[in-house]
Amino acid sequence: MFYEDHKNQAFYAMLNKENIRYEFLKGNLSSLLKKLKTFDSKTVVHTHGYKAGIFGRLACIVTKHRCISTYHAGEAGTGKLKIYNKLDKLLSPLSTNFAVSEQIKASLKNATLLENFIAINSSSIHFNRCDNKTLNIGFVGRLSFEKGPDIFCRLAENMQQDLDIKFHIFGDGPLKGEVPNLHNLQYHGLVERNDIWSKIDVLLICSREEGLPMALLEAISEQKFIISSAVGAIPSIIKHDETGFLMLEANAQHCQYQVEKLLLLPEEQTKNIINNAYKILEERFSGKQQFLILQKAYTGT
């Protein structure tokens, strides 16, 4: 259920393809209240996002439905977003709360850790480049300041002379119009997951702030090498030189250093690092434990 129609046609098309039902409210609290009153008392409202959390909790008090909220984002934000995030956290006592990282959990008064989870690709570990002559590096996520697409673009600009490397951006967002036109950088927009992982060898996360990005888990499942800034819950998965590379800072200079380091890494060592990350994925993010936690919350037992 969307608070309003955000005109995100590419995302709606993906939902339609997966046969996921959805509907739009009218962008106000009254339309949410009217809709919730059509559901029986056993219906549980699970909110995702600061605005959904704020209005969802307030509406559930009126309609007497149970409200569950998941806190995904680790960034504080600026301007109106900062105010919304603060209000979202202040109202957290009105719902049963989950946080996707320990860092986010610590910022709330009552929350349980519920790490993201995915269906794991069980194919054998490999690191065969999509293009034998080129290392393809991808940015996957929302094009917003905290995710650092500007850092990724600056890296691509700085490495234009390296003909063995190509950069790819997947996603949409407010900084879409700032993606430069470079011969070694391709912007793909919002595409299906399979169209991402078949085109890249390395996932580069240059976020300034982060929770636990789903793209990280998906990339590990698809046996992609991870280079990331050490933010949010990422260091709990990516250990430098063991399960990927961590950057000291989220900037183009540190990104380039790690990319150049990967180019010199022996193939066997590269495979070992990917394999180590995959083992952590199997142990913590297969969804078995997460399902039990969600089931308990939904049933109220």
Side-chain angles (χ1 to χ4, degrees), residues 114-297:
L114 180 69
E115 295 180 308
N116 285 331
F117 56 96
I118 61 168
I120 296 177
N121 185 345
S122 59
S123 60
S124 59
I125 302 299
H126 63 278
F127 188 66
N128 297 323
R129 294 187 183 182
C130 303
D131 179 345
N132 290 331
K133 297 180 180 180
T134 305
L135 183 69
N136 290 277
I137 301 175
F139 173 100
V140 181
R142 178 171 167 76
L143 302 185
S144 55
F145 179 76
E146 68 277 0
K147 298 290 184 181
D150 56 309
I151 298 173
F152 189 86
C153 292
R154 198 171 304 118
L155 171 66
E157 186 175 0
N158 293 346
M159 301 191 74
Q160 289 186 83
Q161 302 305 316
D162 197 326
L163 302 180
D164 294 331
I165 301 177
K166 288 185 179 179
F167 297 88
H168 304 262
I169 293 180
F170 301 88
D172 202 350
L175 298 184
K176 172 183 175 181
E178 297 183 19
V179 176
N181 183 18
L182 304 174
H183 72 85
N184 63 337
L185 175 62
Q186 184 175 357
Y187 175 64
H188 299 267
L190 191 64
V191 301
E192 293 189 27
R193 291 183 177 89
N194 291 340
D195 292 332
I196 297 174
W197 308 120
S198 62
K199 291 182 173 67
I200 68 173
D201 310 300
V202 178
L203 174 67
L204 175 58
I205 301 174
C206 38
S207 298
R208 295 177 171 94
E209 298 177 281
E210 193 57 83
L212 179 61
M214 286 296 294
L216 170 66
L217 304 183
E218 291 173 5
I220 294 174
S221 177
E222 295 292 335
Q223 294 98 53
K224 306 303 175 182
F225 196 92
I226 308 298
I227 299 175
S228 177
S229 51
V231 293
I234 293 174
S236 72
I237 304 170
I238 303 303
K239 308 294 184 183
H240 189 61
D241 287 338
E242 293 181 17
T243 55
F245 289 165
L246 283 181
M247 295 180 287
L248 295 176
E249 296 180 36
N251 61 42
Q253 180 182 357
H254 283 87
C255 288
Q256 183 170 345
Y257 176 80
Q258 298 301 336
V259 169
E260 291 174 345
K261 180 180 175 180
L262 175 59
L263 289 172
L264 298 174
L265 201 67
E267 182 178 352
E268 191 61 33
Q269 191 173 347
T270 301
K271 289 182 178 180
N272 286 340
I273 289 175
I274 293 173
N275 187 49
N276 292 339
Y278 189 84
K279 287 178 180 177
I280 291 179
L281 189 74
E282 285 185 313
E283 292 169 2
R284 287 174 49 190
F285 303 100
S286 66
K288 295 177 181 178
Q289 184 61 32
Q290 289 90 334
F291 175 78
L292 293 175
I293 295 172
L294 283 172
Q295 184 183 45
K296 184 177 180 180

Side-chain angles (χ1 to χ4, degrees), residues 75-115:
E75 67 272 11
T78 58
K80 286 186 178 180
L81 178 58
K82 185 175 183 179
I83 296 173
Y84 274 124
N85 277 331
K86 280 191 174 183
L87 184 56
D88 188 25
K89 290 179 179 178
L90 285 173
L91 294 176
S92 62
L94 302 179
S95 57
T96 298
N97 303 310
F98 293 116
V100 300
S101 73
E102 288 288 356
Q103 181 182 13
I104 296 174
K105 177 186 172 184
S107 69
L108 302 170
K109 289 187 176 179
N110 59 325
T112 299
L113 178 65
L114 180 69
E115 295 180 308

Side-chain angles (χ1 to χ4, degrees), residues 5-37:
D5 185 354
H6 299 288
K7 309 299 181 183
N8 193 344
Q9 301 305 325
F11 183 53
Y12 303 153
M14 292 170 68
L15 293 176
N16 289 331
K17 187 172 182 179
E18 297 295 333
N19 293 317
I20 296 175
R21 292 167 49 198
Y22 61 94
E23 58 184 303
F24 305 109
L25 299 174
K26 296 181 179 180
N28 53 54
L29 185 58
S30 61
S31 64
L32 174 58
L33 287 169
K34 183 177 179 180
K35 186 64 183 179
L36 291 186
K37 287 178 181 177

